[in-house]
Amino acid sequence: MNVVVIGAQWGDEGKGKIVDYLASETQCIVRFSGGANAGHTIVSEGVQYALHLVPSGILHPNNTVYLGAGMVIDPEALFNELAMLKERGIDWEGRVHISDRAHLVLPRYREMDKQRDSERKRPIGTTGRGIGTTYAMKSERDGVRLADLGWTEKMNELDEADRAFLAPYIDRLLSMKVNLTYELWKVRGKKILFEGAQGALLDLDLGTYPYVSSGFSSSAGAAIGGCIGPRAIDRVLGVFKAYSTRVGNGPMPTEFDEGSQSELYNFVRETGREYGVTTGRARRCGYLDLVALRYACHSNSIDDLVLTHLDVYDSLDDIEACVAYNINGKVTEEFPASIEDLNAAKPVLKHFRGWKKVLKECRSFDDLPEEAQNYVQFIEEYCGTRVGIISVGYDRKDTFILHDPWMK
């Protein structure tokens, strides 16, 4: 059974934790998109792991993990990450494989990334990891794939600095190379997770273009980047926070006002630890945007939502969520493509009573206080999508399932 896990907002929703949580039952994890610009945080037995390229299920020894064809991989960052895992006692050798169709990030792409963004009239707010440039080279048919490392003519076309950078990694990378389509065909029928990067609202086609990632972060990307057909996807899980966050530039209709709402802004940011795993940048924070979340559910065929960070609201008397936009006097519940409209949108808010209780020890929906249950049920009704998993803390154990994602 193939289950896809994507972010249903602007990234940083807690996908890594959820993949890690579900990985105890799986045999394979496939990361299907993105590069070292992604940051997935996992806390297990009080130990925190920050992963950027390696799929989150690597902490479970029963899993083989794959870096998919849709990924762009910085060899230096990858082997630094693998060295960190080994130092922490994670035996990854023989369990980490790379699609031969994945593209490689070269050092000069990082500077190209930064320069290109600095020259834009409307900067995207890139992480400067060379991701956008690598995807651009890929689309222009000038990229370097893992399979190309054994292609002498192609290697000779690279400049001396590129060849010098790749030289110490070539044998190690080639030893991890697989044809992912055939690998997954061999294990068809087993429990396989497809792990996305960023979030649906940062997808190149479905997101807030041009303030998006260069790869595909929608559920459809799992079929391409994971080297399977779309009909092989059995279920899609969309991970979202009890509020909204965003890193970098671009519209965010429900963002708190740092002037008039500085106390709420700082509370959510500090309580939720809203700082980028990759860059350390403070994340923008705001009300839960149900207009955007419902759009993500519909455009990604999300079967079950996964609610994280619900515990961040434990101490608040009142909670609000956005149920519509007021755009220049017109109220709508549709998520527009126009950046101008999104920038002009003012959130229409619905009020909820806070629960004023610690949720960390809750292990079922019935354990949640009535006010928290009401909040969850309203989200389900508004989005027309059930909540299947809830997270009430950072640790693996602070999670409970309402609907088993492995049940067809």
Side-chain angles (χ1 to χ4, degrees):
M1 184 174 182
N2 297 325
V3 173
V4 176
V5 179
I6 62 166
Q9 296 169 309
W10 282 283
D12 309 307
E13 304 95 345
K15 296 178 294 297
K17 179 198 170 174
I18 299 306
V19 169
D20 170 73
Y21 177 74
L22 296 173
S24 62
E25 294 188 47
T26 63
Q27 287 76 44
C28 300
I29 314 288
V30 181
R31 167 87 178 271
F32 63 83
S33 186
N37 57 335
H40 294 174
T41 303
I42 302 163
V43 180
S44 177
E45 305 295 334
V47 179
Q48 180 171 303
Y49 299 84
L51 300 176
H52 302 279
L53 288 164
V54 180
S56 301
I58 190 62
L59 301 187
H60 295 267
N62 51 296
N63 276 292
T64 299
V65 303
Y66 297 92
L67 283 68
M71 289 191 68
V72 291
I73 300 165
D74 181 333
E76 182 179 22
L78 173 63
F79 287 110
N80 284 341
E81 194 167 303
L82 292 172
M84 176 274 293
L85 289 170
K86 189 170 184 177
E87 288 172 5
R88 296 192 179 192
I90 306 300
D91 183 15
W92 62 266
E93 284 91 345
R95 295 197 298 123
V96 179
H97 304 286
I98 308 172
S99 167
D100 50 13
R101 289 170 167 80
H103 279 246
L104 300 177
V105 180
L106 299 176
R108 59 188 170 90
Y109 294 173
R110 300 171 199 160
E111 290 307 314
M112 291 169 68
D113 238 10
K114 296 173 185 175
Q115 181 178 350
R116 188 170 186 177
D117 204 44
S118 68
E119 293 173 350
R120 286 189 172 103
K121 292 182 179 179
R122 298 177 183 84
I124 305 301
T126 174
T127 61
R129 299 300 176 103
I131 308 304
T133 297
T134 309
Y135 277 118
M137 298 290 279
K138 173 181 177 178
S139 66
E140 291 172 2
R141 278 70 55 91
D142 290 321
V144 179
R145 303 176 304 159
L146 182 59
D148 299 334
L149 294 179
W151 183 8
T152 303
E153 185 180 355
K154 176 71 174 182
M155 289 296 99
N156 289 339
E157 291 172 1
L158 299 178
D159 62 34
E160 187 175 343
D162 289 341
R163 292 198 300 272
F165 168 74
L166 289 171
Y169 300 113
I170 288 178
D171 289 342
R172 298 173 73 185
L173 288 168
L174 290 177
S175 71
M176 301 163 73
K177 174 175 70 76
V178 296
N179 188 320
L180 188 53
T181 294
Y182 293 102
E183 289 294 307
L184 295 183
W185 182 255
K186 293 174 189 174
V187 295
R188 64 192 183 281
K190 293 187 176 182
K191 292 180 177 179
I192 303 175
L193 278 173
F194 290 80
E195 177 183 7
Q198 287 80 48
L201 301 178
L202 292 175
D203 184 78
L204 185 60
D205 291 300
L206 299 177
T208 53
Y209 187 90
Y211 301 98
V212 292
S213 178
S214 299
F216 31 70
S217 46
S218 63
S219 59
I224 304 171
C227 298
I228 59 172
R231 291 198 299 169
I233 296 173
D234 295 295
R235 178 160 285 128
V236 178
L237 306 183
V239 186
F240 75 105
K241 291 173 181 170
Y243 47 92
S244 298
T245 65
R246 180 167 191 162
V247 172
N249 301 330
M252 185 181 175
T254 66
E255 185 172 10
F256 299 137
D257 185 285
E258 286 203 78
S260 63
Q261 296 176 299
S262 59
E263 186 175 347
L264 178 59
Y265 209 128
N266 290 330
F267 170 81
V268 171
R269 179 179 283 166
E270 297 304 321
T271 307
R273 305 183 199 177
E274 297 301 345
Y275 295 90
V277 177
T278 301
T279 63
R281 288 186 294 183
R283 296 177 185 137
R284 299 158 62 191
C285 301
Y287 301 107
L288 173 61
D289 189 336
L290 289 171
V291 176
L293 183 61
R294 181 164 64 183
Y295 166 75
C297 288
H298 292 177
S299 59
N300 288 272
S301 298
I302 292 175
D303 297 291
D304 292 285
L305 286 165
V306 179
L307 171 56
T308 66
H309 288 64
L310 186 60
D311 55 301
V312 169
Y313 278 160
D314 281 358
S315 63
L316 297 185
D317 294 316
D318 301 286
I319 297 165
E320 291 180 296
C322 172
V323 295
Y325 298 151
N326 186 323
I327 303 176
N328 300 320
K330 180 181 178 181
V331 176
T332 180
E333 293 184 9
E334 292 188 5
F335 188 76
S338 166
I339 297 300
E340 192 172 39
D341 284 349
L342 284 169
N343 283 332
K346 304 299 181 186
V348 177
L349 300 173
K350 178 176 174 59
H351 174 267
F352 299 86
R353 288 177 55 197
W355 40 90
K356 302 288 288 184
K357 293 181 181 178
V358 176
L359 301 187
K360 188 174 175 62
E361 301 304 320
C362 294
R363 291 297 176 265
S364 72
F365 184 77
D366 291 337
D367 288 344
L368 295 174
E370 181 181 357
E371 294 83 359
Q373 291 184 16
N374 291 340
Y375 189 57
V376 174
Q377 289 169 340
F378 183 83
I379 293 169
E380 292 181 314
E381 291 166 6
Y382 186 96
C383 294
T385 307
R386 68 186 186 180
V387 173
I389 300 174
I390 295 178
S391 169
V392 291
Y394 288 96
D395 203 279
R396 185 185 286 167
K397 67 178 184 295
D398 301 328
T399 316
F400 55 89
I401 292 177
L402 286 69
H403 303 286
D404 188 349
W406 303 111
M407 292 290 290
K408 288 192 176 181

